[in-house]
Amino acid sequence: MANVSHRGDMSTHPDVSEMRERYDRMLGGRDVALVDGPVFLLGLYCAASPWILHYTASQPALMTHNLIMGIAIGLLALGFTRAPERMYGLSWAMCALGVWMIIAPWIVGSAPDTGVIINNVVIGALALLLGIVCAATSAKATKATKSTPRP
């Protein structure tokens, strides 16, 4: 194995200022990192909620719907975590998923009971709220990045 400990620190690197600026720009939108975890957990709960609330037999279409929507929310959360600079533009998609989750029991389900409706409304409201937080933070970071002059 090669010994690379003799190279010294990064402060002597000729591109250190450019690397610092790029790093700062890249992490500029990460002040919403605390939202990534709750979005992922919301997706997991949405996917598992038909089994948690035991409506898999009474609402098979809504069961499949919530499973697919939960996977979609979870994938958005993973994308927000993995590539935030590219994915926060999809924050508005998270808001749309939240609105859809609120109205889905009446469109996808067949005579849903109160528990199913409350479950989907809460999931939808949380998705909408978290999507708005992500979108607002993304807009703020984009605005700050555009106002910062590049060398």
Side-chain angles (χ1 to χ4, degrees):
M1 182 173 258
N3 183 6
V4 293
S5 62
H6 65 279
R7 292 189 177 181
D9 64 0
M10 286 295 293
S11 63
T12 59
H13 193 281
D15 296 327
V16 71
S17 61
E18 181 182 335
M19 288 188 295
R20 280 192 184 130
E21 289 173 11
R22 182 173 185 255
Y23 187 73
D24 288 340
R25 278 194 318 266
M26 191 171 69
L27 291 180
R30 294 305 296 154
D31 51 351
V32 74
L34 293 175
V35 178
D36 297 348
V39 170
F40 185 72
L41 291 175
L42 181 67
L44 285 178
Y45 174 75
C46 181
S49 65
W51 290 274
I52 294 170
L53 297 178
H54 305 291
Y55 63 86
T56 55
S58 64
Q59 298 287 333
L62 205 51
M63 175 200 65
T64 305
H65 170 269
N66 278 17
L67 178 64
I68 292 169
M69 294 298 287
I71 292 170
I73 291 170
L75 287 175
L76 278 174
L78 289 175
F80 293 157
T81 303
R82 184 79 175 126
E85 64 280 355
R86 289 182 280 186
M87 288 294 292
Y88 279 115
L90 288 175
S91 302
W92 293 110
M94 183 77 172
C95 296
L97 291 176
V99 170
W100 174 251
M101 285 299 295
I102 292 171
I103 62 174
W106 295 281
I107 296 173
V108 177
S110 57
D113 63 358
T114 306
V116 172
I117 293 171
I118 290 173
N119 179 60
N120 272 33
V121 167
V122 168
I123 291 171
L126 287 172
L128 180 63
L129 177 69
L130 291 171
I132 289 171
V133 169
C134 288
T137 305
S138 173
K140 182 181 80 170
T142 302
K143 181 179 173 186
T145 303
K146 286 182 180 177
S147 66
T148 304
R150 294 179 114 179

